[in-house]
């Protein structure tokens, strides 16, 4: 469920640890480490390093870690193995949350428990000053990676240009919703944002993206960016106008028509037959 909007909230929360030096890393759950990464590599490479930035591309949170200038005087006199800057990628899957300094920015995500069970802590960084950044993930669908390959991600949906968006949709026989969900094309859109955007734009989710006129594509790009801004202000991807009607009896908030429910791009989709064309 964490979509771009939730991960952006996590990023803003993670800004608090920028400037802190990593004293300890706890990645006891080896399964949570991706791309051949091991707990000992992570520790060797990052302990002693300084968090220099928190970035986001789509649903991927990136923490930049730099070597410390005064590393000789580091934690317990220990030198960092870090020689050049490294980037840690955090993926939140369906149920991942970020807890910084013991506080979760998002207490309750849909489909997950808000209870912070220590058993569900998959990755934790403790800083020199005793503060911490912890990833909690009950279903373990997220993961931690070193130097993640960001080339495979499309432009971030919050800032995608009209041209980039047209590029992402052009000439495709794939359903427009499936294209929106394809992170290689547009990064950050999940199921709820996709349905909300298409509902707002009046576009049928099953329509092939190649069948949209250039003007429609530009309009859809504008609706996408505007919807993300609105949901960001409201505080979550589940804060859309369509959300309350995502059930069998649901009706279109715009015209009152009974909503259609189907699978598109492998995800449960709600849409209105009357105004989405
Ligand atoms: Zn409608």
């Amino acid at each position: 469920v964490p979509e771009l909007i939730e991960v952006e909230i996590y990023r803003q929360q993670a800004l608090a640890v920028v400037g802190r030096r990593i004293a300890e890393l706890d990645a006891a759950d080896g399964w949570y480490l991706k791309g051949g990464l091991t707990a000992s590599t992570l520790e060797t490479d990052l302990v002693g390093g300084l968090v220099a930035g928190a970035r986001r591309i789509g649903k991927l949170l990136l923490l930049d870690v730099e070597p410390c200038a005064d590393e000789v005087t580091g934690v317990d006199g220990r030198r960092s193995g870090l020689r050049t800057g490294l980037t840690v990628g955090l993926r939140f899957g369906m149920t991942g949350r970020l807890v910084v300094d013991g506080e979760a920015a998002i207490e309750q995500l849909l489909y997950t428990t808000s209870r912070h069970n220590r058993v569900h802590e998959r990755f934790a960084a403790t800083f020199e000053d005793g503060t911490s950044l912890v990833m909690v993930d009950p279903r373990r669908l997220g993961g931690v990676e070193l130097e993640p390959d960001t080339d495979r991600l499309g432009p971030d949906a919050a800032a995608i240009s009209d041209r980039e968006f047209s590029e992402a949709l052009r000439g495709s026989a794939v359903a427009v919703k499936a294209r929106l969900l394809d992170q290689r094309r547009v990064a950050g859109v999940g199921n709820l944002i996709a349905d909300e955007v298409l509902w707002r734009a009046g576009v049928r989710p099953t329509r092939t993206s190649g069948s949209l006129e250039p003007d429609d594509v530009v309009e859809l790009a504008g609706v996408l960016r505007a919807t993300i801004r609105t949901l960001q202000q409201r505080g979550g991807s589940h804060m859309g106008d369509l959300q309350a009607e995502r059930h069998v009896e649901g009706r279109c908030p715009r015209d009152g028509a009974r909503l259609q429910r189907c699978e598109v791009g492998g995800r449960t989709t709600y849409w209105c037959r009357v105004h989405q064309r």
Side-chain angles (χ1 to χ4, degrees):
V1 154
E3 300 188 23
L4 172 160
I5 296 179
E6 284 71 27
V7 180
E8 175 59 21
I9 294 170
Y10 296 155
R11 187 191 72 82
Q12 289 168 12
Q13 197 188 1
L15 287 174
V17 310
V18 171
R20 295 184 191 168
R21 194 211 279 265
I22 300 171
E24 202 179 311
L25 283 173
D26 186 2
D29 186 352
W31 194 85
Y32 211 68
L33 303 177
K34 308 297 180 188
L37 185 62
T38 64
S40 65
T41 305
L42 203 62
E43 184 159 12
T44 309
D45 285 354
L46 296 180
V47 168
L50 201 67
V51 181
R55 295 179 290 132
R56 181 188 60 75
I57 305 174
K59 307 179 199 178
L60 178 66
L61 180 62
L62 299 165
L63 296 178
D64 298 316
V65 182
E66 299 287 343
C68 238
D70 60 340
E71 66 179 29
V72 180
T73 61
V75 186
D76 305 330
R78 190 156 43 149
R79 285 179 71 95
S80 167
L82 197 62
R83 289 289 164 266
T84 57
L86 284 175
T87 298
V88 187
L90 307 180
R91 295 178 203 277
F92 294 90
M94 292 289 281
T95 57
R97 285 188 299 145
L98 196 70
V99 178
V100 175
D101 300 342
E103 304 252 359
I106 300 173
E107 273 306 327
Q108 188 150 11
L109 277 178
L110 252 46
Y111 317 127
T112 186
T113 169
S114 64
R115 250 197 353 266
H116 178 172
N117 192 333
R118 293 220 50 167
V119 173
H120 298 148
E121 291 186 4
R122 308 296 174 198
F123 171 79
T126 305
F127 304 99
E128 231 175 9
D129 60 1
T131 58
S132 64
L133 176 145
V134 180
M135 263 183 96
V136 179
D137 188 353
R139 288 175 62 185
R140 295 165 94 214
L141 296 170
V144 174
E145 208 177 331
L146 211 53
E147 301 288 87
D149 181 7
T150 55
D151 291 344
R152 283 178 301 175
L153 290 172
D156 185 75
I160 194 167
S161 69
D162 292 347
R163 181 191 287 203
E164 289 168 332
F165 190 70
S166 303
E167 199 71 29
L169 260 59
R170 191 171 53 188
S172 172
V174 171
V176 61
K177 178 173 174 182
R179 265 288 143 107
L180 285 177
L181 292 174
D182 184 346
Q183 303 298 306
R184 293 167 303 179
R185 301 281 171 178
V186 182
V189 177
N191 200 37
L192 299 182
I193 296 179
D195 278 6
E196 180 76 12
V197 166
L198 294 170
W199 175 80
R200 286 178 177 230
V203 173
R204 182 165 44 87
T206 51
R207 189 166 161 182
T208 63
S209 54
S211 75
L212 291 164
E213 296 297 330
D215 285 354
D216 298 336
V217 173
V218 169
E219 195 183 321
L220 187 57
V223 174
L224 171 65
R225 292 185 300 258
T227 302
I228 289 170
R229 276 197 302 275
T230 300
L231 297 179
Q232 198 92 61
Q233 282 158 8
R234 294 183 188 172
S237 54
H238 62 290
M239 299 298 279
D241 296 339
L242 196 62
Q243 187 64 28
E245 302 298 327
R246 296 182 63 90
H247 57 85
V248 203
E249 301 285 306
R251 292 190 173 273
C252 175
R254 185 174 297 181
D255 50 48
R258 172 69 66 83
L259 290 177
Q260 306 293 308
R261 183 178 189 266
C262 63
E263 292 262 312
V264 185
R267 306 298 302 276
T268 302
T269 301
Y270 289 89
W271 65 283
C272 173
R273 183 172 275 168
V274 173
H275 85 273
Q276 287 179 257
R277 306 213 161 246

